[in-house]
Amino acid sequence: MKLMVIGGGGREHAIIKKLKENPAVEKIYCLPGNGGIAADAVCVSEIGAKDIPAQVEFAKAHGIDYAVVAPDDPLALGAVDALSEAGIPCFGPDKKAAVIEASKAFAKDLMQKYNIPTAKYRVFTDAPSACAYIDAEGAPIVVKADGLALGKGVVVAQTVEEAKAAVRAMIEDKTFGQSGARVVIEEYMEGPEVSVLSFTDGETLVPMVSSMDHKRALDGDKGPNTGGMGAVAPNAYYTKEIAAECMENIFLPTIRAMRAEGRPFRGCLYFGLMLTKSGPKVVEYNCRFGDPETQALLPLLKSDLLTVMQATTNGTLADVSVEFSTDSACCVVLASEGYPQKYESGFPITMSEEAAAHCYVAGAKKDSDTLLTAGGRVLGVTAVAPTLRAAVEDAYHLAEGVDFANKYCRSDIGSAALAAREERG
């Protein structure tokens, strides 16, 4: 089989490495890919992740048997629709279903309509009304750009003035372009956060192992929000009892709600959850694999990824075994110092053979035979071990085997999960 994966980050690298395990896979193309992914797939750098017409033409010209659309932007733009119409079966939701991430207002309205637990909210398109609501509600409070904003369109404001500034930046200054023309203002929720990614064919839903992302740039969950500085799986806060409650009150109701709205969701549906004192609530939905959660989860998947993906496309997920290891995993992201703000790139990357075998490249380019940094998040290294503590220790050992001029990583990935595990005994 010839496969095509849309995207060019660490998540896509993890997907490609897992797809390669299937002996039927003859060749994988990655559009656009990156310098590190080039070791595992044929990268087509001239076709961007949002260039849907070129993707369709490439798929037809190269006899692609199956496509995986990984990032949010092409999903929201209708890449799956266009490829499917051209006769290329795809993993991922169509445009009508991808709106569950592409519009936070849609997602909140869906949850309200179908009684899916989430934070109280209001939607605004003008700054004065939004600011008046913030005055009435007080702080802390959460301000979200309605549309896609590269994971950076959320401000958890500790003061009323900070919240108002976020509203004005989004609506008036157009910090996120049209994505911020409408804002969602939510009550502030407290509790441990859990990410649960799931495979679904629109009828059957199979949750993956729970995980914990680390969004802040600095140790102790301080500093600006990033695309994610690391992840561990499973999440120690996510018990069997909570999982059963989420399945009954959140996961299955969401799938049924999307079907009832004429938007059946097929692919990977990501549930961002907050475990509040009054029970689990939805923070956000994503219409695709998370990054870097994918880099921690896929190494734990014992079943064949391509078979599972095809089952979501064909509506046969109930007939497929989806099995995960009982081990733990830890992914540590190595970034360019200064990310997510100002940073320099273009530095040579060296890594040990051991690190290279467990590495997922996010931001790097090839110059002759040299791999150079070419982004804020450069790569992630993932270790799998029988215990979470061993996985964390092994991941940091792997990270020591990677070197580039301004390498930076958090030193506490997994520490909160370990503390929670010890607390629970």
Side-chain angles (χ1 to χ4, degrees), residues 75-128:
L75 289 167
L77 291 168
V80 167
D81 308 64
L83 286 161
S84 299
E85 283 167 20
I88 313 294
C90 287
F91 177 82
D94 63 15
K95 185 176 181 176
K96 282 178 72 175
V99 74
I100 200 168
E101 178 177 4
S103 171
K104 294 181 182 70
F106 169 86
K108 296 295 286 190
D109 290 346
L110 184 86
M111 287 184 270
Q112 183 179 64
K113 181 176 177 180
Y114 291 93
N115 298 313
I116 296 164
T118 189
K120 186 177 81 171
Y121 75 103
R122 284 277 300 278
V123 180
F124 297 92
T125 54
D126 69 286

Side-chain angles (χ1 to χ4, degrees), residues 10-85:
R11 163 186 53 211
E12 288 75 23
H13 199 181
I15 289 169
I16 286 164
K17 282 196 174 191
K18 200 69 184 175
L19 289 171
K20 280 181 70 178
E21 293 177 6
N22 185 311
V25 174
E26 174 192 343
K27 187 176 262 188
I28 303 178
Y29 295 95
C30 189
L31 286 57
N34 67 46
I37 291 175
D40 293 287
V42 177
C43 292
V44 187
S45 58
E46 63 271 21
I47 301 179
K50 293 192 279 187
D51 192 349
I52 295 169
Q55 293 162 13
V56 171
E57 287 309 308
F58 182 90
K60 290 196 292 189
H62 290 78
I64 298 301
D65 298 298
Y66 193 74
V68 177
V69 184
D72 49 12
D73 279 329
L75 289 167
L77 291 168
V80 167
D81 308 64
L83 286 161
S84 299
E85 283 167 20

Side-chain angles (χ1 to χ4, degrees), residues 331-335 349-356 358-359 379-383 391-404 407-411:
C331 173
V332 174
V333 170
L334 308 184
I349 304 167
T350 58
M351 61 181 89
S352 67
E353 195 174 321
E354 184 186 25
H358 299 86
C359 166
L379 55 87
V381 287
T382 299
V392 169
E393 289 172 359
D394 290 352
Y396 277 103
H397 168 72
L398 291 169
E400 288 171 9
V402 181
D403 192 48
F404 51 90
K407 183 179 93 169
Y408 166 76
C409 68
R410 276 181 57 166
S411 64

Side-chain angles (χ1 to χ4, degrees), residues 334-350:
L334 308 184
S336 301
E337 192 168 5
Y339 170 76
Q341 291 155 340
K342 193 176 180 182
Y343 58 86
E344 294 180 14
S345 58
F347 302 111
I349 304 167
T350 58

Side-chain angles (χ1 to χ4, degrees), residues 23-354:
V25 174
E26 174 192 343
K27 187 176 262 188
I28 303 178
Y29 295 95
C30 189
L31 286 57
N34 67 46
I37 291 175
D40 293 287
V42 177
C43 292
V44 187
S45 58
E46 63 271 21
I47 301 179
K50 293 192 279 187
D51 192 349
I52 295 169
Q55 293 162 13
V56 171
E57 287 309 308
F58 182 90
K60 290 196 292 189
H62 290 78
I64 298 301
D65 298 298
Y66 193 74
V68 177
V69 184
D72 49 12
D73 279 329
L75 289 167
L77 291 168
V80 167
D81 308 64
L83 286 161
S84 299
E85 283 167 20
I88 313 294
C90 287
F91 177 82
D94 63 15
K95 185 176 181 176
K96 282 178 72 175
V99 74
I100 200 168
E101 178 177 4
S103 171
K104 294 181 182 70
F106 169 86
K108 296 295 286 190
D109 290 346
L110 184 86
M111 287 184 270
Q112 183 179 64
K113 181 176 177 180
Y114 291 93
N115 298 313
I116 296 164
T118 189
K120 186 177 81 171
Y121 75 103
R122 284 277 300 278
V123 180
F124 297 92
T125 54
D126 69 286
S129 299
C131 290
Y133 180 75
I134 290 165
D135 278 328
E137 292 295 314
I141 198 163
V142 182
V143 180
K144 297 181 176 181
D146 175 54
L148 301 175
L150 299 173
K152 299 178 178 66
V154 177
V155 176
V156 181
Q158 298 302 318
T159 66
V160 164
E161 281 312 311
E162 187 186 354
K164 288 179 176 180
V167 163
R168 293 188 193 107
M170 290 178 193
I171 294 178
E172 296 179 345
D173 300 341
K174 296 187 168 37
T175 313
F176 301 112
Q178 279 304 111
S179 288
R182 188 162 56 162
V183 299
V184 176
I185 301 179
E186 293 183 351
E187 71 170 316
Y188 175 76
M189 296 191 292
E190 286 188 276
E193 284 199 55
V194 180
S195 301
V196 180
L197 284 68
S198 62
F199 293 110
T200 178
D201 61 4
E203 295 274 351
T204 300
L205 180 137
V206 181
M208 302 183 211
V209 177
S210 63
S211 58
M212 179 186 285
D213 190 9
H214 299 66
K215 283 283 184 199
R216 300 280 187 163
L218 308 176
D219 285 2
D221 285 329
K222 293 183 169 51
N225 262 330
T226 72
M229 295 299 296
V232 295
N235 188 317
Y237 291 101
Y238 194 68
T239 63
K240 284 182 179 176
E241 294 74 22
I242 291 171
E245 187 179 349
C246 288
M247 181 64 93
E248 184 180 346
N249 299 333
I250 295 173
F251 302 163
L252 291 176
T254 299
I255 291 300
R256 294 185 194 120
M258 290 295 281
R259 212 164 56 234
E261 293 293 309
R263 301 171 184 269
F265 191 102
R266 300 178 186 91
C268 174
L269 183 54
Y270 169 122
F271 297 88
L273 307 171
M274 186 81 77
L275 306 184
T276 74
K277 286 178 181 174
S278 56
K281 295 185 179 182
V282 178
V283 177
E284 64 173 352
Y285 295 114
N286 287 343
C287 65
R288 34 75 193 184
F289 280 100
D291 188 344
E293 293 98 333
T294 305
Q295 293 90 302
L297 291 172
L298 287 187
L300 296 173
L301 179 64
K302 293 169 74 174
S303 304
D304 176 61
L305 178 60
L306 179 58
T307 301
V308 177
M309 285 181 161
Q310 288 176 309
T312 70
T313 305
N314 301 333
T316 57
L317 189 59
D319 304 326
V320 170
S321 169
V322 183
E323 192 180 349
F324 283 86
S325 165
T326 56
D327 288 347
S328 295
C330 175
C331 173
V332 174
V333 170
L334 308 184
S336 301
E337 192 168 5
Y339 170 76
Q341 291 155 340
K342 193 176 180 182
Y343 58 86
E344 294 180 14
S345 58
F347 302 111
I349 304 167
T350 58
M351 61 181 89
S352 67
E353 195 174 321
E354 184 186 25

